[in-house]
Amino acid sequence: MLYNRRQFIIFTGGLVGIGVANVGHQFFNRSQSDLSNNTVSEIAEKSPINQPVAIAPEGLFAPVKGDVRIVIISDLNSQYGSTDYDPEIDKAIDLVPQWKPDLVLCGGDMVAGQKRSLTKQQIEAMWSAFDVHVAAPLRQAAIPFGLTIGNHDGSGSISQGKYTFAQERNLASAYWNNPNHNPGLNFIDKANFPFYYSFQQQDIFYLVWDASTHIIDQKQLTWVENSLNSPQAKQAKLRLAIGHLPLYPIAVGRNTPGNYIAEGEKLQSLLEKYDVHSYISGHHHAYYLGKKGKLELFHSGALGGGPRQLLNSNLPAQKTLTVADISLESKETIYTTYNMKTLQVINIQTLPKSIGNIIRKDLS
């Protein structure tokens, strides 16, 4: 629903930091029961121009929709070779259209590979199951799907000059390059899709690199720099980068070398050089919203199996989905992250103030 003048005054006057926070941006601080009666919103056909509209599935906290809205999910898989998905995934995909996003981004690990004994038939069956549970419903809803390949989708691990999981990479490529599985993206460079590529949606330039391992090789780094130096990237109102492994460790059990990108400082500097706003990642199965230097670091929690605890935190592990609302004029992002077990919004202030050299976003 659209807020009338009185509701809008109440809305803006009651803003506090729930779920996520930005400097100068805050959210409601009411009980979930109060919110459930007031946050279900739809865009009316005759809605006034530029009036804030809060949109979410019925009964959930509804954030105000930005110029661009992205739903971010990651790490959907379960046991090796599994063609089943946890109930939170089906629930999330069913709810996604009700947030009215312009794009869904996935931080990788869509299937449960990275095991040499898996046969071609088993790997193809996993991608078929992914299509049924995730990709096909989003295609039917006409929601574009941006993705980065995870270590369980098509690991870039190399042994003796060859890909250790070459069959998995070949079958991941075959799935995503099948015209029937068109993700609906406006590609700029598709030559190495789905491993590293670029696309543009609504004045935002998206650079996706292959961070299915901790090594970003020199060939890919050259491509990254050329891409970010391109006219399309420079002319975009915002630049976002996506990869499976994060630049720095943030989760228990994933803070060992190989579980985060090598030379993170160097890659951070490269992204900052070209004014990349945020780096979005998965793999650590833990939600954390931080900033280091000029770069925002969004760590997506797992929606599938194996959520993990954050470092420096006693919070229990949580399965999450995030709605990102972006202002193209101010270049600000407001994240609303839901615990997919309870559908409650996660208060950013419950997250650690820092993890290593990463500062929580609302404090930076």
Side-chain angles (χ1 to χ4, degrees):
M1 66 183 173
L2 294 175
Y3 290 100
N4 60 31
R5 185 175 181 273
R6 181 173 176 274
Q7 288 172 315
F8 185 66
I9 291 171
I10 294 171
F11 172 81
T12 54
L15 292 175
V16 297
I18 286 185
V20 292
N22 244 335
V23 175
H25 289 268
Q26 299 173 320
F27 286 95
F28 285 107
N29 190 22
R30 305 185 208 163
S31 69
Q32 191 72 20
S33 60
D34 289 339
L35 287 170
S36 65
N37 294 324
N38 295 287
T39 58
V40 181
S41 306
E42 294 181 358
I43 300 177
E45 291 183 4
K46 298 181 180 179
S47 59
I49 297 174
N50 296 327
Q51 184 164 345
V53 180
I55 305 171
E58 184 174 357
L60 273 63
F61 172 80
V64 173
K65 194 172 189 295
D67 299 323
V68 178
R69 171 167 284 186
I70 304 169
V71 168
I72 305 172
I73 58 177
S74 190
D75 297 277
L76 315 180
N77 59 338
S78 54
Q79 297 88 358
Y80 289 115
S82 176
T83 56
D84 293 325
Y85 284 87
D86 288 356
E88 290 81 13
I89 291 169
D90 290 327
K91 177 167 62 176
I93 298 304
D94 183 57
L95 291 174
V96 161
Q98 299 176 59
W99 276 292
K100 299 189 183 299
D102 301 294
L103 174 71
V104 170
L105 279 181
C106 183
D109 280 359
M110 295 163 279
V111 299
Q114 202 178 20
K115 190 173 184 180
R116 292 186 184 183
S117 62
L118 291 173
T119 66
K120 179 175 182 289
Q121 290 73 25
Q122 286 176 304
I123 298 167
E124 289 175 333
M126 287 192 297
W127 282 111
S128 294
F130 166 79
D131 196 69
V132 168
H133 286 268
V134 180
L138 295 177
R139 286 197 305 271
Q140 291 161 8
I143 301 173
F145 187 80
L147 64 126
T148 186
I149 292 293
N151 55 295
H152 290 290
D153 303 319
S155 172
S157 172
I158 292 178
S159 177
Q160 297 181 343
K162 297 181 180 180
Y163 286 115
T164 307
F165 300 96
Q167 178 175 238
E168 292 183 8
R169 286 178 71 87
N170 291 338
L171 293 174
S173 179
Y175 170 83
W176 284 111
N177 284 290
N178 182 332
N180 293 327
H181 303 150
N182 185 344
L185 303 175
N186 298 314
F187 289 103
I188 295 173
D189 184 346
K190 193 185 178 185
N192 294 288
F193 176 75
F195 302 106
Y196 58 95
Y197 63 101
S198 59
F199 65 98
Q200 187 160 348
Q201 309 276 123
Q202 295 169 285
D203 291 321
I204 299 179
F205 179 90
Y206 295 85
L207 180 134
V208 182
W209 62 28
D210 184 358
S212 59
T213 72
H214 65 295
I215 301 294
I216 309 292
D217 63 27
Q218 188 56 52
K219 177 183 176 182
Q220 194 177 166
L221 286 176
T222 300
W223 173 84
V224 167
E225 189 144 18
N226 290 339
S227 297
L228 292 175
N229 200 32
S230 68
Q232 295 96 326
K234 288 181 175 180
Q235 292 166 12
K237 291 185 178 179
L238 202 70
R239 285 153 294 282
L240 301 178
I242 307 101
H244 185 56
L245 267 65
L247 296 179
Y248 308 102
I250 58 102
V252 174
R254 291 289 164 91
N255 54 336
T256 54
N259 279 305
Y260 51 92
I261 295 177
E263 299 186 296
E265 297 275 359
K266 175 183 174 182
L267 295 182
Q268 178 186 335
S269 296
L270 176 60
L271 296 179
E272 288 177 328
K273 176 182 176 182
Y274 292 101
D275 196 24
V276 172
H277 182 278
S278 303
Y279 178 61
I280 298 168
S281 62
H283 188 63
H284 279 213
H285 293 213
Y287 162 66
Y288 190 71
L289 184 57
K291 187 168 186 179
K292 188 172 182 295
K294 296 184 293 182
L295 185 66
E296 287 191 9
L297 299 168
F298 177 85
H299 306 85
S300 181
L303 187 56
R308 290 176 177 269
Q309 233 179 352
L310 288 166
L311 297 170
N312 299 344
S313 174
N314 293 321
L315 283 176
Q318 305 174 88
K319 293 189 176 188
T320 62
L321 173 149
T322 295
V323 175
D325 287 292
I326 300 173
S327 169
L328 293 177
E329 183 176 350
S330 64
K331 298 184 179 180
E332 290 177 302
T333 50
I334 296 179
Y335 297 92
T336 306
T337 297
Y338 300 84
N339 179 323
M340 287 306 295
K341 287 279 191 183
T342 65
L343 296 180
Q344 300 274 334
V345 173
I346 298 172
N347 187 339
I348 190 175
Q349 294 177 1
T350 64
L351 304 179
K353 291 183 178 180
S354 64
I355 299 179
N357 291 324
I358 304 172
I359 304 300
R360 201 175 69 201
K361 182 176 181 287
D362 61 315
L363 302 175
S364 60

